[in-house]
Amino acid sequence: MSLPRYKVTMLALSLSIATAFVGCSSNPSKKEVVDTGPQSSEQSYYNKAMKALDKGQYGDAEKSLQAIDTYYPTGQYAQQSQLELIYTKFKQKDYEATIAQAERFIRLNPQHPNVDYAYYVRGVANMEMNYDGIMRYTSLKQSHRDISYLKVAYQNFVDFIRRYPSSQYAVDAAQRMKFIGQELAESEMNAARFNIKRKAYLAAVERAQWVIEHYPQTPQIPEALATMAYGYDKLGDQATSKQYIDILKLNYPNLVKSNGEVNLNAARKDGSLLNRATLGIFGRGEKTTGSAEQNAKNIQQDTAAEDKPSWLNRATFGLLDRPDRKTSGEYASANESLYDGQRTQPAQPQQ
């Protein structure tokens, strides 16, 4: 039985089109790039890279530095070029490549006098990896999202300071560790709040205890203590709950109600129902009670706590009317300071 004429025509057309595509794919119009070897001396490549770096032309600098790394791997400028390449990758915001280059340098040059720079930049790059494009330009809490890169960065800085406590980058690394500690503590307390909400009091207590044990210098400590007291009370362990309430009375008396119960809302700095319903416009909470001396002490202990965002900031989910990030130590941008206006990208390696 023969096929209908229109089916034969369609079959022939399909075969023709398929043959044409195969022919195009097997005969690419572009010629393959052939490596013809170095086009300049090592000195020329290095000088060209330095001039490009001085002008901020990081793409051009990268090409020259890569050429040195490829054609002169044991040359006079090989190790310095590898360090400059780490810096160049960071300036291009290619943090994955920065980390890879830093780890490669550490592996190949463990005794180099500037290897501390590679350890330091690895931590900074992992820190940057934790902040995507949206979070960087808003006041939304990064600690309420994935913080895996922050944990890696923290361990990078721990390793760096342990190896090179006298490094010129050690002070900045310690400041970054302090900031990351606050972020990690906030992440734990965010999980504790969620567990309290779903009445998983044991899980909430464990989260709060972790903060107390591992992040004792963070602003989250008052809430962690209050969570411990509240959680143990709900678990039926009034004796342990009272111990934490006594600690709160001594250090944070405003977090204990007149009837002796823990004021968990005050510890969280939560507003009233009216305050939350109106995004903070009405029903603001009263000022903390207690002696002026005690209140001053509490303020001093909580200097790193976040400034309360405006109603416009909350209404737009952090997109508008952002609070000043420097007072809270919030890491906002690769070109903004954590603390004192200095640029946060790592310094260029010493030659």
Side-chain angles (χ1 to χ4, degrees):
M1 182 177 178
S2 60
L3 293 173
R5 180 173 298 179
Y6 77 92
K7 288 189 177 181
V8 174
T9 304
M10 292 299 297
L11 180 59
L13 182 61
S14 299
L15 290 174
S16 300
I17 294 174
T19 303
F21 276 117
V22 171
C24 292
S25 63
S26 62
N27 296 285
S29 58
K30 295 184 179 179
K31 296 181 180 180
E32 294 183 1
V33 178
V34 179
D35 188 353
T36 58
Q39 303 300 309
S40 302
S41 66
E42 182 186 11
Q43 179 75 56
S44 297
Y45 274 127
Y46 188 77
N47 292 340
K48 185 177 180 181
M50 293 303 99
K51 290 180 181 179
L53 283 176
D54 291 340
K55 296 178 181 179
Q57 298 171 348
Y58 302 111
D60 293 338
E62 179 188 357
K63 293 178 182 178
S64 297
L65 295 171
Q66 288 283 15
I68 295 175
D69 193 40
T70 301
Y71 301 124
Y72 305 98
T74 59
Q76 177 183 359
Y77 299 99
Q79 293 178 331
Q80 183 61 32
S81 295
Q82 292 171 12
L83 286 172
E84 301 286 358
L85 193 56
I86 296 172
Y87 176 78
T88 302
K89 291 290 187 181
F90 185 92
K91 292 294 293 181
Q92 292 176 303
K93 301 185 187 303
D94 189 351
Y95 302 122
E96 291 184 354
T98 301
I99 295 167
Q101 288 290 338
E103 291 181 343
R104 176 173 178 263
F105 186 87
I106 292 170
R107 185 176 65 257
L108 296 178
N109 310 281
Q111 304 302 322
H112 192 277
N114 289 333
V115 71
D116 61 326
Y117 176 80
Y119 277 96
Y120 162 70
V121 178
R122 181 177 63 172
V124 177
N126 269 310
M127 193 174 178
E128 286 285 350
M129 288 280 287
N130 209 73
Y131 295 86
D132 58 34
I134 296 177
M135 293 297 298
R136 188 181 302 282
Y137 300 106
T138 71
S139 59
L140 300 175
K141 292 179 180 293
Q142 175 65 40
S143 54
H144 292 178
R145 302 174 71 244
D146 177 60
I147 56 170
S148 56
Y149 283 109
L150 279 183
K151 292 180 178 179
V152 175
Y154 190 88
Q155 291 303 319
N156 289 158
F157 290 131
V158 168
D159 186 32
F160 164 68
I161 292 179
R162 179 178 61 83
R163 292 173 181 270
Y164 308 101
S166 302
S167 170
Q168 60 179 314
Y169 311 110
V171 173
D172 183 74
Q175 291 177 332
R176 292 173 184 272
M177 286 180 64
K178 180 180 178 181
F179 165 75
I180 294 174
Q182 294 180 15
E183 290 283 88
L184 297 179
E186 175 61 23
S187 177
E188 293 293 327
M189 291 312 303
N190 187 54
R193 296 176 201 123
F194 173 75
N195 287 322
I196 289 289
K197 185 177 181 180
R198 67 187 186 97
K199 300 182 179 180
Y201 301 116
L202 181 58
V205 165
E206 290 176 347
R207 293 282 188 167
Q209 186 174 2
W210 182 270
V211 171
I212 294 171
E213 291 179 355
H214 294 87
Y215 312 111
Q217 304 300 322
T218 59
Q220 286 76 17
I221 289 298
E223 183 184 353
L225 291 170
T227 300
M228 295 284 285
Y230 183 85
Y232 275 116
D233 179 67
K234 291 297 183 180
L235 290 170
D237 190 349
Q238 275 71 34
T240 305
S241 176
K242 187 177 183 305
Q243 292 178 2
Y244 283 101
I245 289 177
D246 290 340
I247 295 174
L248 289 171
K249 286 180 179 179
L250 290 174
N251 296 278
Y252 311 99
N254 58 298
L255 302 186
V256 181
K257 299 178 182 179
S258 58
N259 61 1
E261 296 179 355
V262 62
N263 191 342
L264 195 58
N265 288 334
R268 296 176 177 177
K269 299 180 181 178
D270 286 343
S272 64
L273 179 60
L274 177 61
N275 183 261
R276 293 194 298 272
T278 58
L279 300 175
I281 301 175
F282 302 110
R284 293 187 175 90
E286 297 179 356
K287 296 182 179 180
T288 48
T289 58
S291 65
E293 180 181 359
Q294 184 61 50
N295 287 337
K297 180 180 178 181
N298 292 340
I299 293 173
Q300 184 178 8
Q301 291 174 338
D302 202 24
T303 53
E306 294 181 350
D307 289 343
K308 187 176 182 180
S310 68
W311 69 269
L312 179 59
N313 183 262
R314 289 191 293 273
T316 58
F317 298 99
L319 295 175
L320 302 177
D321 195 23
R322 292 189 298 155
D324 184 4
R325 311 301 289 273
K326 294 180 182 179
T327 57
S328 63
E330 184 73 11
Y331 196 73
S333 171
N335 294 323
E336 292 179 1
S337 171
L338 288 176
Y339 301 98
D340 56 5
Q342 297 178 355
R343 296 176 66 84
T344 62
Q345 70 271 9
Q348 193 167 344
Q350 299 295 319
Q351 299 183 17

